[in-house]
Amino acid sequence: MSNINACQFLADTVSTTLGPRGMDKLIHHGMDRITISNDGATIMKLLDVAHPAAALLVDIAKSQDAEIGDGTTSVVLIAVELMKMAKPFIEEGVHPQTVIQNYRLACQLCQQYINEMAYSVADKSDAERTDLLVKVAQTAMNSKLIASHREQFARMAVEAVQSLDEDLREDMIGIKQVTGGAMEESELIKGVAFKKSFSYAGFEQQPKRIPNPKICLLNLELELKNENSKAEVRITNPEQYQSIVDAEWSIIFTKLEKIVATGANVILSRLAIGDLATQYFADRNIFCAGRVTQEDLNRASKATGAQIQTSVNDITPSALGTCGLFEEKQVGAERYNFFTDCPQAKTASIILRGGASQFIEEAERSLHDAIMVVRRSVKNKAVVAGAGAIEMELSKRLREHSLTIAGKGQLIISAFAQALEVIPRQLSQNAGFDATDILDQLRQKHFTGFRWAGVDITNEGVCDAFERCIWEPSNMKRNALNAATEACCLILGIDETIKAPQSEQAPAPPRGGMGGMRGMMPGMRGGRGGMAPRGRR
């Protein structure tokens, strides 16, 4: 019971963030670090949850965020509501294993019902599929801080995902934050864009716009190294010292000459490119940038076809990449390098603009959720209606199924069905509606065969969520129900919490003297006739 009560307290914290009218949480952590968010996973991560059972809810929110990207608040609410509905059975003496067994049966039935009801888009044309994905992304953004710009950002998310290859790797979409400007100034780059790295002397003499460049990607340093080792070199005349100095310069110049010989006119390196190399490249009308992050270097490789080199020896023309245009532009207060019109652009970059840094950070989290949802929709190719419609339909079907079962299972599955109503109820409460009235209307609509009836946030009532284009990926609902049921069953299966005692190390005996003898005497830990150590009498 204490475990369930702890989880209930945690659910009360995030429940008000659900839905388009959900509220945000301002979380103050650290000295001056502030996060404003209504994303369930973000809030759960930042909360300092000490209770071991409640920590399970943090884990399922993280797993939902990693697997699907959205539905993190829903999964916590459903899990806690399932525990809440199980409390009366436990109090009346029903064995927890009976509840767990029937809960798992109900979850399996829900999976089957979702598969039956899911609307497949596999046979749709590309234009229809794109339109559907945009609506799915808009639904994911309805409850976010950038809901007023959801049309612009939903299309950005869809175009970014569609520019990826069949693996749909999330790290191939780079999201960059630039403080200043309006949200409408955010843009999608079908290619690579990253902030100008630290630059040495001679950087301003380099070209800032190169059509059809040849791009060389490196993972090595191009600068003179100061030898700080304790090696000792003995020389007999000054000319030998000069030969050592000349060798250092010869090594760096040989590297630079080999790079120039490849014909590349854009050089990017993950490690530093020093002032000597920067000026050397500037004199030959070549652009270079060092200390480029590994993530940006990988995306540049994917977009331009260049291969990352760890040596300057034998760089073949096939190892170089190209794009339609390279340019360096001012974005807000920052300088950015753009690689656009890439021949095999399997990557994309999104530059987010806005006022406060907290606002841009929340916009990035919202966009990340939308991108993840679109990725899952592209892979899964099936959607269901949101706005609480799918939960109410599952609840209705489970109630009908429970009437075919005799014994305790009938009541337990009926309780599972009632727990699913927490989503439309919370949506109504967060919008300021009468939740009881809305739920009564929804039950009546679903029992008369109106499958996609959901909460109408705009007009305070019931609407056809499918016609309103409130769509969500079917695998998001399946994953949420699975994770919530497993977390609930895990906590219900705990009958006692035991704190493992920590092993206490005996203090080391003092060296020499009587104390040392006393430490070696038998029976020193007390007992009959034993001698207690000093300080413990």
Side-chain angles (χ1 to χ4, degrees):
M1 288 300 160
S2 66
N3 289 343
I4 294 174
N5 292 336
C7 294
Q8 179 69 47
F9 179 78
L10 195 57
D12 291 341
T13 305
V14 297
S15 61
T16 55
T17 67
L18 185 71
R21 301 286 173 86
M23 306 298 285
D24 295 333
K25 302 290 181 186
L26 188 150
I27 304 166
H28 181 252
H29 51 103
M31 292 296 292
D32 55 352
R33 183 88 176 124
I34 293 174
T35 300
I36 301 173
S37 178
N38 68 356
D39 179 55
T42 303
I43 296 168
M44 301 287 270
K45 286 175 191 171
L46 294 176
L47 290 177
D48 186 13
V49 180
H51 197 281
L56 287 172
L57 296 183
V58 180
D59 291 339
I60 63 167
K62 287 180 180 177
S63 71
Q64 179 78 4
D65 187 47
E67 182 66 22
I68 305 294
D70 199 15
T72 49
T73 305
S74 301
V75 71
V76 173
L77 292 185
I78 293 172
V80 174
E81 193 69 15
L82 289 173
M83 296 178 212
K84 190 176 169 184
M85 297 307 297
K87 270 177 82 172
F89 296 108
I90 306 296
E91 288 171 345
E92 290 170 12
V94 177
H95 198 280
Q97 288 301 331
T98 306
V99 179
I100 291 171
Q101 184 180 355
N102 285 282
Y103 268 10
R104 283 185 173 147
L105 172 62
C107 183
Q108 289 174 8
L109 291 170
C110 287
Q111 304 293 325
Q112 294 174 17
Y113 297 151
I114 291 174
N115 288 335
E116 290 170 13
M117 291 186 290
Y119 178 71
S120 176
V121 295
D123 55 345
K124 302 295 180 183
S125 66
D126 290 343
E128 290 175 319
R129 197 177 294 121
T130 299
D131 188 51
L132 174 90
L133 292 174
V134 169
K135 290 182 171 65
V136 168
Q138 286 182 4
T139 303
M141 291 184 184
N142 269 339
S143 61
K144 305 299 183 184
L145 205 61
I146 56 174
S148 56
H149 302 88
R150 62 180 179 271
E151 292 182 10
Q152 173 192 0
F153 285 107
R155 201 156 289 280
M156 267 189 201
V158 172
E159 288 182 15
V161 173
Q162 288 179 336
S163 67
L164 303 180
D165 56 16
E166 62 275 3
D167 292 339
L168 297 178
R169 285 176 55 190
E170 179 197 355
D171 58 350
M172 287 294 110
I173 300 175
I175 302 179
K176 307 296 181 183
Q177 303 176 15
V178 182
T179 308
M183 289 297 290
E184 293 86 352
E185 295 176 27
S186 301
E187 58 179 321
L188 171 73
I189 311 296
K190 289 190 176 178
V192 183
F194 54 85
K195 184 179 172 182
K196 180 180 82 71
S197 58
F198 178 82
S199 52
Y200 286 91
F203 183 84
E204 289 303 326
Q205 300 171 28
Q206 294 178 351
K208 299 295 184 284
R209 179 186 172 91
I210 305 175
N212 300 312
K214 289 184 178 179
I215 302 163
C216 180
L217 305 182
L218 301 173
N219 188 11
L220 54 94
E221 278 185 319
L222 294 176
E223 62 177 345
L224 283 168
K225 298 293 292 180
N226 289 326
E227 296 299 335
N228 294 323
S229 61
K230 296 181 180 179
E232 183 178 327
V233 180
R234 296 189 179 186
I235 57 175
T236 55
N237 64 52
E239 291 180 4
Q240 291 176 333
Y241 175 75
Q242 186 62 41
S243 66
I244 295 172
V245 174
D246 291 344
E248 291 177 346
W249 286 83
S250 175
I251 290 169
I252 183 72
F253 275 117
T254 302
K255 286 182 180 178
L256 298 178
E257 287 166 4
K258 287 182 177 179
I259 293 171
V260 172
T262 62
N265 48 11
V266 173
I267 315 294
L268 302 180
S269 178
R270 195 178 74 83
L271 302 177
I273 297 180
D275 49 2
L276 170 67
T278 303
Q279 187 65 56
Y280 186 92
F281 288 135
D283 294 342
R284 287 152 184 79
N285 209 33
I286 296 173
F287 174 88
C288 72
R291 293 196 175 98
V292 179
T293 64
Q294 187 66 51
E295 178 191 353
D296 290 331
L297 208 63
N298 290 340
R299 291 194 299 111
S301 173
K302 196 81 171 175
T304 63
Q307 300 169 12
I308 300 175
Q309 304 294 311
T310 56
S311 170
V312 296
N313 297 319
D314 302 323
I315 298 179
T316 59
S318 61
L320 302 180
T322 187
C323 65
L325 177 67
F326 162 77
E327 58 183 337
E328 183 180 300
K329 293 193 296 186
Q330 190 81 18
V331 180
E334 307 288 350
R335 300 282 290 177
Y336 268 74
N337 297 326
F338 291 85
F339 296 83
T340 52
D341 299 331
C342 301
Q344 48 184 12
K346 300 298 183 184
T347 181
S349 301
I350 297 173
I351 296 179
L352 286 179
R353 304 297 307 278
S357 59
Q358 289 89 355
F359 185 86
I360 302 179
E361 287 172 6
E362 177 62 5
E364 181 178 353
R365 285 190 286 269
S366 306
L367 198 56
H368 171 266
D369 286 0
I371 288 170
M372 291 290 286
V373 165
V374 171
R375 283 178 65 236
R376 292 298 168 188
S377 301
V378 169
K379 284 189 174 183
N380 196 44
K381 297 184 173 61
V383 295
V384 292
I390 184 68
E391 285 85 5
M392 289 302 297
E393 183 65 18
L394 292 174
S395 177
K396 170 217 162 188
R397 294 195 179 198
L398 282 178
R399 280 196 172 96
E400 291 175 347
H401 180 81
S402 69
L403 298 176
T404 65
I405 300 173
K408 299 171 186 172
Q410 181 184 114
L411 295 173
I412 295 171
I413 290 180
S414 179
F416 192 103
Q418 188 177 344
L420 293 177
E421 293 181 353
V422 68
I423 300 299
R425 186 192 310 123
Q426 198 63 48
L427 286 173
S428 305
Q429 287 177 355
N430 290 350
F433 303 156
D434 184 346
T436 306
D437 184 43
I438 299 289
L439 278 176
D440 288 341
Q441 292 182 47
L442 285 173
R443 288 192 197 103
Q444 186 267 332
K445 289 286 186 184
H446 280 271
F447 273 94
T448 55
F450 193 21
R451 176 190 290 182
W452 299 124
V455 181
D456 188 350
I457 296 292
T458 310
N459 303 313
E460 189 174 352
V462 175
C463 67
D464 188 332
F466 211 86
E467 278 189 10
R468 286 283 187 91
C469 301
I470 306 172
W471 297 340
E472 296 176 339
S474 63
N475 62 341
M476 185 183 89
K477 292 299 179 187
R478 285 204 306 269
N479 196 80
L481 281 171
N482 265 333
T485 306
E486 284 303 318
C488 174
C489 292
L490 192 60
I491 290 174
L492 289 179
I494 300 169
D495 67 340
E496 188 177 359
T497 301
I498 303 168
K499 186 176 181 182
Q502 294 181 351
S503 60
E504 295 183 2
Q505 292 183 354
R511 292 182 180 177
M514 201 61 183
M517 290 174 62
R518 192 175 284 124
M520 292 184 284
M521 281 175 149
M524 66 166 281
R525 294 185 181 274
R528 238 175 199 176
M531 196 178 223
R534 181 174 293 170
R536 295 193 181 180
R537 292 182 182 176

